[in-house]
Amino acid sequence: MLSIKVIEEFHSLLLELPSVAESVSAGSYSAMAAAAEWLTEAEKLAEEYQLPICADFALIKGEMQNYLPAKRESGYETGRTARLMKQKNGIECLRRAKECMEQYFNGTESLISESSILCRKMAAVAVSKGYVEDAAQAEDIAGLMEKFQKDAELMPALTNVIGTVGYENARCLLQEELQAVLPD
């Protein structure tokens, strides 16, 4: 199971994509280099976490960098037409990279979203039972999870969340949801 922190890193990378795509479509001189740099960053991040989409990013980046405009009878397209064709290809490559990333994380994000709802309910029950009274107590997630394991009402829900998203993700979700349900 992918870590929430890894997914957040890719989401922050996706936040940079609109400005890169906009510069490519505007045709600035450094736009294609910026697009290649964004793809390189995505590739390095995927490689750092040993994700199989690393190869997809490398292929897409290679296709973008090695793109040659269509050939006509007198040779390859040149000038404005070639630049527009390269821009179109660059935008297409960035779109494919975004799609690849979304498809890869879609299943995990769905499971995390479902587990987040259950964690919010567990957090609300924990607050109502007095397991957590303030933000300082909410910081001890491991201790709180021990209490959940001893509680007949909360233990099945906690087991479900851990089984679905993993222990570390369950800790992150529970901490997030506790902050949301704790009275100010």
Side-chain angles (χ1 to χ4, degrees):
M1 174 62 59
L2 290 168
S3 167
I4 291 173
K5 293 173 183 168
V6 171
I7 294 171
E8 287 173 351
E9 284 187 56
F10 277 96
H11 279 249
S12 67
L13 189 61
L14 276 174
L15 290 175
E16 299 170 10
L17 187 59
S19 63
V20 172
E22 188 176 310
S23 69
V24 170
S25 65
S28 73
Y29 289 107
S30 61
M32 295 307 278
E37 185 179 320
W38 186 87
L39 284 166
T40 300
E41 228 177 288
E43 180 185 359
K44 284 181 182 176
L45 192 57
E47 185 178 1
E48 178 183 335
Y49 292 109
Q50 299 176 351
L51 302 179
I53 57 172
C54 176
D56 296 330
F57 293 137
L59 285 172
I60 293 169
K61 183 178 73 173
E63 287 175 20
M64 186 180 73
Q65 290 176 330
N66 296 321
Y67 176 76
L68 289 174
K71 193 173 183 179
R72 54 185 180 158
E73 290 127 28
S74 62
Y76 288 103
E77 287 287 343
T78 58
R80 183 172 169 27
T81 305
R83 187 172 49 85
L84 289 174
M85 291 170 76
K86 283 183 182 181
Q87 286 174 337
K88 185 178 177 183
N89 180 63
I91 294 292
E92 177 62 23
C93 287
L94 290 174
R95 185 195 60 75
R96 284 184 30 227
K98 178 183 179 267
E99 262 182 22
C100 176
M101 202 180 291
E102 287 173 343
Q103 285 176 350
Y104 186 76
F105 292 114
N106 195 21
T108 303
E109 288 174 336
S110 175
L111 291 174
I112 288 172
S113 176
E114 291 170 12
S115 295
S116 178
I117 295 167
L118 189 53
C119 280
R120 181 166 295 213
K121 290 176 182 177
M122 287 190 312
V125 170
V127 169
S128 71
K129 286 188 171 192
Y131 291 158
V132 181
E133 295 170 5
D134 58 13
Q137 282 184 318
E139 294 298 317
D140 182 25
I141 295 297
L144 186 62
M145 288 175 89
E146 269 184 41
K147 289 179 186 177
F148 284 13
Q149 288 175 344
K150 294 175 184 171
D151 187 298
E153 185 180 2
L154 293 171
M155 190 267 299
L158 178 65
T159 303
N160 184 348
V161 170
I162 291 173
T164 303
V165 296
Y167 183 77
E168 284 303 313
N169 286 342
R171 285 176 53 117
C172 290
L173 289 174
L174 193 55
Q175 188 154 22
E176 241 176 62
E177 299 305 332
L178 275 171
Q179 300 305 321
V181 299
L182 277 174
D184 291 328

